[in-house]
Amino acid sequence: MPLMRGKIVGYDSERMSFSFTMINGDNIVECRISGAAMDQLIGAKGTENLARQAQFLAHRDQIERIASDLYDAGPPVNGAVIRIFTKHVEAKA
């Protein structure tokens, strides 16, 4: 079952990832996508931290689809964080 859209949390410069939530019934699923994975998704390199939210919003549907697919692929564990890395994203040609 696909996850439903949740809230935007924002970019964490320590973890170098963008955090957001998705919803599975009554459960909130924490999700993160690395900055490198977002860049790979759009064929960019070295996007500045201040531009990460705009980058996420522009590609939100794709990112959330990847998170939902990862969630469906593995056994759901309460409290687990869905982490999207470059290996989960097809490089844009």
Side-chain angles (χ1 to χ4, degrees), residues 59-80:
H59 302 282
R60 187 174 188 174
D61 290 338
Q62 288 176 282
I63 294 167
E64 290 177 337
R65 189 173 327 110
I66 294 167
S68 185
D69 290 348
L70 287 172
Y71 183 85
D72 287 342
V77 177
N78 284 340

Side-chain angles (χ1 to χ4, degrees), residues 16-70:
M16 297 176 60
S17 64
F18 194 89
S19 298
F20 59 102
T21 64
M22 302 281 292
I23 301 169
N24 180 27
D26 292 334
N27 298 320
I28 294 174
V29 179
E30 189 178 337
C31 304
R32 290 189 191 118
I33 182 168
S34 71
M38 281 204 294
D39 282 350
Q40 182 169 309
L41 183 68
I42 64 168
K45 260 191 177 175
T47 301
E48 294 201 21
N49 295 349
L50 294 174
R52 291 292 183 192
Q53 185 158 330
Q55 186 182 30
F56 176 81
L57 290 171
H59 302 282
R60 187 174 188 174
D61 290 338
Q62 288 176 282
I63 294 167
E64 290 177 337
R65 189 173 327 110
I66 294 167
S68 185
D69 290 348
L70 287 172

